[in-house]
Amino acid sequence: MNYWLMKSEPADVSIDDLAHRNTVGWYGVRNYQARNFMRDTQQVGDGVLFYHSSCEQVGIAGIARVASAPYPDPTQFDPTSKYFDPKSTPEKPRWQQVDVEFVRKTPLLSITQLRQYPPLAEMVVLQKGSRLSITPVTQQEWDFIQELLAC
DNA sequence: GCCAACGTTGGC
DNA sequence: GCCAACGTTGGC
């Protein structure tokens, strides 16, 4: 059992979208490190901090969980998709995704708030220059954030 | 829109 | 395999 922070642009898929649809395929990852986390390390049931990025209110917007094994991201084969990858084939797919299932929406924990808590100082997503869209979260960080949200 | 940081590409 | 050039991310 592991914990993760997964970035989504709310203009694309927000926590409210996830709440409505219950489960979404995490399509569009085009970074090998992030892909490898989904393909090699994530397991069904892993906890996910659902994070809104590239928007007005950047931060943790809800809780979710990993809900499937990895499978090929269909957008890589779709020439009309901005995630189309001409070098990928159905026989040898390059990009994988998992399904992510809604758990609950939370009050927004903004990135500036997150930076104020010393126990979160080492969070990967808060490190300078960190751009990975999927990052591991430690048990301690997860527990601390759950306590914050319980207040 | 800026720009730091990082990832990818491709010539050699 | 090196590395310069270029492209992308994402907070501000």
Side-chain angles (χ1 to χ4, degrees):
Chain A
M1 171 87 170
N2 290 300
Y3 300 103
W4 307 92
L5 182 143
M6 297 175 77
K7 294 180 186 174
S8 181
E9 300 189 11
D12 191 3
V13 180
S14 70
I15 188 69
D16 290 328
D17 295 329
L18 183 64
H20 268 103
R21 295 164 56 187
N22 193 55
T23 299
V24 299
W26 207 264
Y27 62 88
V29 169
R30 295 294 180 269
N31 169 283
Y32 290 103
Q33 216 181 330
R35 178 205 66 182
N36 292 348
F37 281 139
M38 289 195 288
R39 189 189 63 186
D40 305 333
T41 316
Q42 287 192 336
Q43 291 181 295
V44 172
D46 280 2
V48 173
L49 301 171
F50 191 99
Y51 181 94
H52 282 175
S53 70
S54 297
C55 61
E56 297 244 323
Q57 296 216 301
V58 171
I60 294 167
I63 306 294
R65 70 166 73 94
V66 175
S68 82
Y71 61 95
D73 176 345
T75 63
Q76 69 194 303
F77 309 125
D78 176 2
T80 68
S81 169
K82 70 169 174 171
Y83 298 115
F84 178 62
D85 184 349
K87 294 180 186 162
S88 188
T89 65
E91 293 72 32
K92 287 193 84 176
R94 177 177 298 197
W95 305 109
Q96 302 276 119
Q97 66 182 40
V98 297
D99 289 339
V100 170
E101 180 185 15
F102 179 74
V103 174
R104 65 194 168 96
K105 186 176 177 177
T106 66
L108 190 102
L109 256 180
S110 73
I111 185 169
T112 48
Q113 279 176 278
L114 294 172
R115 290 191 195 285
Q116 288 169 5
Y117 298 108
L120 302 181
E122 304 297 316
M123 274 192 87
V124 178
V125 74
L126 300 181
Q127 300 314 301
K128 187 180 170 97
S130 170
R131 302 188 312 179
L132 258 189
S133 62
I134 300 176
T135 51
V137 172
T138 68
Q139 177 83 57
Q140 289 79 7
E141 290 160 353
W142 177 270
D143 290 344
F144 186 82
I145 288 167
Q146 299 305 313
E147 282 191 31
L148 278 183
L149 292 171
C151 294

